[in-house]
Amino acid sequence: MFIVGLTGGIGSGKTTVSNLFKELGIAVVDTDVIAREVVKLGSQCLYKIEQHFGSTILLDNGNLDRKKLRHIIFSQPEEKHWLESLLHPVIRRQTRLALEKSSSPYAILSSPLLLESPDIELTSRIAVVDITPEQQVLRTTIRDETNSAQVEKIIANQLSREEKLAKANDIIDNSGTFENTKQQVLNLHRQYLLMKDNHSMR
Ligand code: ADP
């Protein structure tokens, strides 16, 4: 299957761009969404997390207290490692399953850490959503009602804009209007439809 990897830093517009591909009838597998699903109420992973950290890691309604967990793994690298060893293989399996199940002409694999992940091997092409770091901070603080220091810290922990762009086959410039981005997605969609035909003839 022809799979286009979609990536970009926090707040760059991956979700916005993914939704535009969805509107064109293209299956989108989003590793952020899968990462939330694998720890949902009643899941094996949530049970193991509770066993490991104790029931104080859960909210009153039984769901995972993400804020508390994030706090723990930020300050304790060995706990981060434990959590990643638990979740990464499950997320990877679910990602592959979802891609196999998709039936659109090609599929989008959206992942903020795609370029650092073995999932990159699943992709035929990489599209990077690009905006300036200043726009990333502005849009994310508005979306998440968080402060700029927090967002800057996350950006500093991700691959730099230059490193991402160097690995891109296609760049979606999301610094302009939604309409402008939509037009770029439509152009890429047309190219991908042609490319996937060549891909399947190989
Ligand atoms: P990501 O999924 O990469 O973190 P989002 O798609 O959630 O990024 O976009 C971050 C925020 O910026 C959202 O609130 C979104 O509505 C907004 N946004 C995305 N693209 C644009 C744009 N071209 N102009 C203005 N705001 C945008």
Side-chain angles (χ1 to χ4, degrees), residues 34-88:
I34 293 178
R36 281 194 291 274
E37 276 171 10
V38 301
V39 295
K40 69 178 185 221
L41 205 59
S43 66
Q44 271 285 326
C45 288
L46 186 58
Y47 176 72
K48 287 183 183 161
I49 290 170
E50 185 190 353
Q51 294 288 303
H52 184 81
F53 292 103
S55 56
T56 52
I57 201 69
L58 302 180
L59 297 165
D60 287 346
N61 62 13
N63 281 302
L64 182 61
D65 189 338
R66 294 173 169 283
K67 212 168 164 182
K68 196 177 258 176
L69 186 62
R70 212 176 308 132
H71 190 75
I72 294 174
I73 63 172
F74 241 79
S75 54
Q76 299 179 46
E78 68 287 359
E79 297 296 14
K80 181 169 188 251
H81 180 74
W82 180 88
L83 189 71
E84 287 177 348
S85 316
L86 170 72
L87 298 182
H88 283 181

Coordinates of all heavy atoms in Angstrom, one line a residue, residues 34-88:
I34 N -4.1 6.7 18.5 CA -3.9 5.3 18.9 C -3.3 5.3 20.3 O -3.7 4.5 21.2 CB -3.0 4.6 17.9 CG1 -3.8 4.4 16.6 CG2 -2.6 3.2 18.4 CD1 -3.1 3.7 15.5
A35 N -2.3 6.2 20.6 CA -1.7 6.3 21.9 C -2.7 6.5 23.0 O -2.5 6.0 24.1 CB -0.6 7.3 21.9
R36 N -3.7 7.3 22.7 CA -4.8 7.5 23.7 C -5.7 6.3 23.8 O -6.1 5.9 24.9 CB -5.6 8.8 23.3 CG -4.9 10.1 23.7 CD -5.9 11.2 23.6 NE -6.3 11.6 22.3 CZ -5.6 12.4 21.5 NH1 -4.5 12.9 21.9 NH2 -6.0 12.6 20.3
E37 N -6.0 5.7 22.7 CA -6.9 4.5 22.7 C -6.3 3.3 23.5 O -7.0 2.6 24.2 CB -7.2 4.0 21.3 CG -8.3 4.8 20.6 CD -8.4 4.5 19.1 OE1 -7.7 3.5 18.7 OE2 -9.1 5.2 18.4
V38 N -5.0 3.1 23.4 CA -4.4 1.9 24.1 C -4.4 2.0 25.6 O -4.2 1.0 26.3 CB -3.0 1.6 23.5 CG1 -3.0 1.3 22.0 CG2 -2.0 2.6 23.9
V39 N -4.6 3.2 26.1 CA -4.7 3.3 27.6 C -6.1 3.7 28.1 O -6.3 4.2 29.2 CB -3.7 4.4 28.1 CG1 -2.3 3.9 27.9 CG2 -3.9 5.8 27.5
K40 N -7.1 3.5 27.2 CA -8.5 3.8 27.6 C -9.0 2.9 28.7 O -8.4 1.8 29.0 CB -9.4 3.9 26.4 CG -9.7 2.5 25.8 CD -10.7 2.7 24.6 CE -11.0 1.3 24.2 NZ -11.1 1.1 22.8
L41 N -10.1 3.3 29.3 CA -10.7 2.6 30.4 C -10.9 1.1 30.0 O -11.4 0.8 28.9 CB -12.0 3.2 30.7 CG -12.6 3.1 32.1 CD1 -11.6 3.6 33.2 CD2 -14.0 3.7 32.2
G42 N -10.5 0.2 30.8 CA -10.7 -1.2 30.6 C -9.6 -1.9 29.7 O -9.6 -3.1 29.5
S43 N -8.6 -1.1 29.3 CA -7.5 -1.6 28.4 C -6.5 -2.4 29.3 O -6.3 -2.1 30.5 CB -6.8 -0.5 27.6 OG -6.2 0.4 28.5
Q44 N -5.8 -3.3 28.6 CA -4.7 -4.1 29.3 C -3.6 -3.1 29.7 O -3.1 -3.2 30.8 CB -4.1 -5.0 28.2 CG -4.7 -6.4 28.2 CD -4.3 -7.2 29.4 OE1 -3.2 -7.1 29.8 NE2 -5.2 -8.0 29.8
C45 N -3.3 -2.1 28.9 CA -2.2 -1.2 29.2 C -2.5 -0.4 30.5 O -1.7 -0.2 31.3 CB -1.9 -0.3 28.1 SG -1.0 -1.1 26.7
L46 N -3.8 0.1 30.5 CA -4.1 0.9 31.7 C -4.0 0.0 33.0 O -3.6 0.5 34.0 CB -5.6 1.4 31.5 CG -6.0 2.4 32.7 CD1 -5.0 3.6 32.8 CD2 -7.4 2.9 32.5
Y47 N -4.4 -1.2 32.9 CA -4.3 -2.1 34.0 C -2.9 -2.3 34.5 O -2.6 -2.2 35.7 CB -4.9 -3.5 33.6 CG -4.8 -4.6 34.7 CD1 -5.6 -4.5 35.8 CD2 -3.9 -5.6 34.6 CE1 -5.5 -5.5 36.8 CE2 -3.7 -6.5 35.5 CZ -4.5 -6.5 36.7 OH -4.4 -7.4 37.7
K48 N -2.0 -2.4 33.5 CA -0.5 -2.6 33.8 C 0.0 -1.3 34.4 O 0.9 -1.4 35.3 CB 0.2 -3.0 32.6 CG 0.0 -4.5 32.2 CD 0.8 -4.9 31.0 CE 0.4 -6.3 30.6 NZ 0.8 -6.7 29.3
I49 N -0.4 -0.2 33.9 CA 0.0 1.1 34.5 C -0.4 1.3 35.9 O 0.3 1.7 36.8 CB -0.5 2.3 33.6 CG1 0.2 2.3 32.2 CG2 -0.3 3.6 34.3 CD1 -0.3 3.2 31.2
E50 N -1.7 0.9 36.2 CA -2.2 0.9 37.5 C -1.4 0.0 38.5 O -1.1 0.4 39.6 CB -3.7 0.6 37.6 CG -4.3 0.7 38.9 CD -5.7 0.2 39.0 OE1 -6.2 -0.2 38.0 OE2 -6.2 0.2 40.2
Q51 N -1.1 -1.2 38.0 CA -0.3 -2.2 38.8 C 1.1 -1.6 39.1 O 1.6 -1.8 40.2 CB -0.1 -3.5 38.0 CG -1.3 -4.3 37.7 CD -1.9 -4.9 38.9 OE1 -1.2 -5.7 39.6 NE2 -3.1 -4.6 39.3
H52 N 1.6 -0.9 38.1 CA 3.0 -0.4 38.3 C 3.1 0.9 39.2 O 3.9 1.0 40.1 CB 3.6 -0.1 36.9 CG 5.0 0.4 37.0 ND1 6.1 -0.5 37.0 CD2 5.6 1.6 36.9 CE1 7.2 0.2 37.0 NE2 6.9 1.5 37.0
F53 N 2.2 1.8 38.9 CA 2.2 3.1 39.7 C 1.3 3.2 40.8 O 1.4 4.2 41.6 CB 1.9 4.3 38.7 CG 3.0 4.5 37.6 CD1 2.8 4.1 36.3 CD2 4.2 5.1 37.9 CE1 3.7 4.3 35.4 CE2 5.1 5.3 37.0 CZ 4.9 4.9 35.7
G54 N 0.4 2.3 41.0 CA -0.6 2.3 42.0 C -1.9 3.1 41.6 O -1.8 3.8 40.5
S55 N -3.0 2.9 42.3 CA -4.2 3.5 41.8 C -4.3 5.0 41.9 O -5.2 5.6 41.3 CB -5.4 2.9 42.7 OG -5.1 3.2 44.0
T56 N -3.3 5.6 42.5 CA -3.3 7.1 42.5 C -3.0 7.7 41.1 O -3.1 8.9 40.9 CB -2.2 7.7 43.5 OG1 -1.0 7.1 43.2 CG2 -2.6 7.4 44.9
I57 N -2.6 6.8 40.2 CA -2.3 7.3 38.8 C -3.6 7.4 38.0 O -3.7 7.9 36.9 CB -1.3 6.3 38.1 CG1 -0.6 7.0 36.9 CG2 -2.0 5.0 37.7 CD1 0.3 8.1 37.3
L58 N -4.8 7.0 38.7 CA -6.1 7.1 38.0 C -6.9 8.3 38.6 O -6.7 8.6 39.7 CB -6.9 5.8 38.2 CG -6.2 4.5 37.8 CD1 -7.2 3.3 38.0 CD2 -5.9 4.6 36.3
L59 N -7.7 8.8 37.7 CA -8.6 9.9 38.2 C -9.8 9.2 38.9 O -9.9 8.0 38.8 CB -9.2 10.6 36.9 CG -8.1 11.4 36.1 CD1 -8.7 11.8 34.8 CD2 -7.7 12.7 36.9
D60 N -10.7 10.0 39.5 CA -11.8 9.4 40.2 C -12.7 8.5 39.3 O -13.3 7.5 39.8 CB -12.7 10.5 40.8 CG -12.0 11.1 42.0 OD1 -11.0 10.5 42.5 OD2 -12.4 12.2 42.5
N61 N -12.8 8.9 38.0 CA -13.6 8.2 37.1 C -12.9 6.9 36.5 O -13.5 6.3 35.7 CB -14.2 9.1 36.0 CG -13.0 9.6 35.1 OD1 -11.9 9.2 35.2 ND2 -13.4 10.6 34.3
G62 N -11.7 6.6 37.0 CA -11.0 5.4 36.6 C -10.1 5.6 35.4 O -9.3 4.8 35.0
N63 N -10.2 6.8 34.7 CA -9.4 7.1 33.6 C -8.0 7.4 34.0 O -7.7 7.8 35.2 CB -9.9 8.2 32.7 CG -11.1 7.8 31.9 OD1 -10.9 6.9 31.0 ND2 -12.2 8.4 32.1
L64 N -7.0 7.3 33.1 CA -5.6 7.7 33.4 C -5.5 9.2 33.7 O -6.0 10.0 33.0 CB -4.8 7.3 32.2 CG -3.3 7.5 32.3 CD1 -2.7 6.7 33.4 CD2 -2.6 7.1 31.0
D65 N -4.8 9.4 34.8 CA -4.4 10.8 35.1 C -3.2 11.2 34.3 O -2.0 11.0 34.7 CB -4.2 11.0 36.6 CG -4.0 12.5 37.0 OD1 -3.7 13.3 36.1 OD2 -4.2 12.8 38.2
R66 N -3.4 11.7 33.1 CA -2.3 12.0 32.1 C -1.3 13.0 32.7 O -0.1 12.9 32.4 CB -2.8 12.5 30.8 CG -3.7 11.5 30.1 CD -4.3 12.1 28.9 NE -4.9 11.0 28.2 CZ -4.2 10.2 27.4 NH1 -2.9 10.4 27.2 NH2 -4.7 9.2 26.8
K67 N -1.9 14.0 33.3 CA -1.1 15.1 33.8 C 0.0 14.5 34.9 O 1.1 14.8 34.8 CB -2.0 16.1 34.5 CG -1.5 17.5 34.4 CD -2.5 18.5 34.8 CE -1.9 19.8 35.0 NZ -2.9 20.8 35.5
K68 N -0.6 13.7 35.8 CA 0.3 13.1 36.8 C 1.3 12.2 36.1 O 2.5 12.2 36.5 CB -0.6 12.2 37.8 CG 0.1 11.9 39.0 CD -0.8 11.2 40.0 CE -1.4 12.1 41.1 NZ -2.4 11.4 41.9
L69 N 0.9 11.4 35.2 CA 1.8 10.5 34.5 C 2.9 11.3 33.8 O 4.1 10.9 33.8 CB 1.1 9.6 33.5 CG 1.9 8.5 32.9 CD1 2.5 7.5 33.9 CD2 1.1 7.7 31.8
R70 N 2.5 12.3 33.1 CA 3.5 13.2 32.4 C 4.5 13.7 33.3 O 5.7 13.8 33.1 CB 2.7 14.3 31.6 CG 3.4 14.7 30.4 CD 2.6 15.8 29.6 NE 1.2 15.4 29.4 CZ 0.2 16.2 29.7 NH1 0.3 17.4 30.1 NH2 -1.1 15.8 29.4
H71 N 4.0 14.2 34.5 CA 4.9 14.7 35.5 C 5.9 13.7 36.0 O 7.1 14.0 36.1 CB 4.0 15.2 36.7 CG 4.8 16.0 37.7 ND1 5.1 17.3 37.4 CD2 5.3 15.7 38.9 CE1 5.8 17.8 38.4 NE2 5.9 16.8 39.3
I72 N 5.5 12.5 36.2 CA 6.4 11.4 36.7 C 7.5 11.1 35.6 O 8.6 11.1 35.9 CB 5.6 10.1 37.0 CG1 4.7 10.3 38.2 CG2 6.6 8.9 37.3 CD1 3.7 9.1 38.5
I73 N 7.0 11.0 34.4 CA 8.0 10.5 33.4 C 8.9 11.7 33.0 O 10.0 11.5 32.5 CB 7.4 9.9 32.1 CG1 6.5 10.8 31.4 CG2 6.6 8.6 32.5 CD1 6.0 10.2 30.1
F74 N 8.5 12.9 33.2 CA 9.4 14.1 32.9 C 10.6 14.1 33.9 O 11.7 14.4 33.5 CB 8.6 15.4 33.0 CG 8.6 16.2 31.8 CD1 7.7 15.8 30.8 CD2 9.4 17.2 31.6 CE1 7.7 16.5 29.6 CE2 9.4 18.0 30.4 CZ 8.5 17.6 29.4
S75 N 10.3 13.7 35.1 CA 11.4 13.8 36.1 C 12.1 12.5 36.4 O 13.1 12.4 37.1 CB 10.8 14.4 37.4 OG 9.6 13.6 37.8
Q76 N 11.5 11.3 35.9 CA 12.1 10.0 36.2 C 12.3 9.2 34.9 O 11.4 8.5 34.5 CB 11.2 9.3 37.2 CG 11.0 10.0 38.5 CD 10.1 9.2 39.5 OE1 10.3 8.0 39.6 NE2 9.2 9.9 40.0
P77 N 13.5 9.3 34.4 CA 13.8 8.7 33.1 C 13.6 7.2 33.1 O 13.1 6.6 32.1 CB 15.3 8.9 32.9 CG 15.7 10.0 33.8 CD 14.7 10.1 34.9
E78 N 13.8 6.5 34.3 CA 13.6 5.0 34.3 C 12.1 4.7 34.2 O 11.7 3.7 33.6 CB 14.2 4.4 35.5 CG 13.7 4.7 36.9 CD 14.0 6.1 37.4 OE1 14.6 6.9 36.7 OE2 13.5 6.4 38.5
E79 N 11.2 5.6 34.7 CA 9.8 5.4 34.6 C 9.3 5.7 33.1 O 8.4 5.0 32.6 CB 9.0 6.2 35.6 CG 9.3 6.0 37.0 CD 8.8 4.6 37.5 OE1 8.6 3.7 36.7 OE2 8.8 4.4 38.7
K80 N 10.0 6.6 32.5 CA 9.7 6.9 31.1 C 10.0 5.7 30.3 O 9.2 5.3 29.4 CB 10.5 8.1 30.7 CG 10.2 8.6 29.2 CD 10.9 9.9 29.0 CE 10.5 10.4 27.6 NZ 11.6 10.4 26.6
H81 N 11.2 5.1 30.6 CA 11.6 3.9 29.8 C 10.6 2.8 30.0 O 10.2 2.1 29.1 CB 13.0 3.5 30.3 CG 13.5 2.4 29.5 ND1 14.0 2.4 28.2 CD2 13.7 1.1 29.9 CE1 14.4 1.2 27.9 NE2 14.2 0.4 28.8
W82 N 10.2 2.6 31.3 CA 9.2 1.5 31.6 C 8.0 1.7 30.8 O 7.5 0.8 30.1 CB 8.9 1.5 33.1 CG 8.0 0.4 33.4 CD1 8.2 -0.9 33.7 CD2 6.5 0.5 33.4 NE1 7.1 -1.7 33.9 CE2 6.0 -0.8 33.7 CE3 5.6 1.5 33.2 CZ2 4.6 -1.1 33.8 CZ3 4.2 1.2 33.3 CH2 3.8 0.0 33.6
L83 N 7.4 2.9 30.8 CA 6.2 3.2 30.1 C 6.3 3.0 28.6 O 5.4 2.4 28.0 CB 5.8 4.7 30.4 CG 4.4 5.0 30.0 CD1 3.3 4.3 30.8 CD2 4.2 6.6 30.0
E84 N 7.4 3.5 28.1 CA 7.6 3.3 26.6 C 7.8 1.9 26.2 O 7.3 1.5 25.1 CB 8.9 4.1 26.2 CG 8.6 5.6 26.2 CD 9.8 6.5 25.8 OE1 10.9 6.0 25.7 OE2 9.5 7.7 25.6
S85 N 8.4 1.1 27.0 CA 8.6 -0.4 26.7 C 7.2 -1.0 26.7 O 7.0 -2.0 26.0 CB 9.4 -1.1 27.7 OG 10.6 -0.4 28.0
L86 N 6.3 -0.5 27.6 CA 5.0 -1.1 27.6 C 4.1 -0.6 26.4 O 3.5 -1.5 25.7 CB 4.2 -0.7 28.9 CG 2.7 -1.0 28.9 CD1 2.5 -2.5 29.1 CD2 2.0 -0.2 30.1
L87 N 4.1 0.7 26.1 CA 3.2 1.2 25.1 C 3.7 1.2 23.7 O 2.8 0.9 22.8 CB 2.9 2.7 25.5 CG 2.2 2.9 26.8 CD1 1.9 4.4 27.0 CD2 0.9 2.2 26.9
H88 N 4.9 1.4 23.5 CA 5.4 1.4 22.1 C 5.1 0.2 21.2 O 4.5 0.4 20.1 CB 6.9 1.8 22.0 CG 7.1 3.3 22.2 ND1 8.4 3.8 22.2 CD2 6.3 4.2 22.6 CE1 8.3 5.1 22.5 NE2 7.0 5.4 22.7

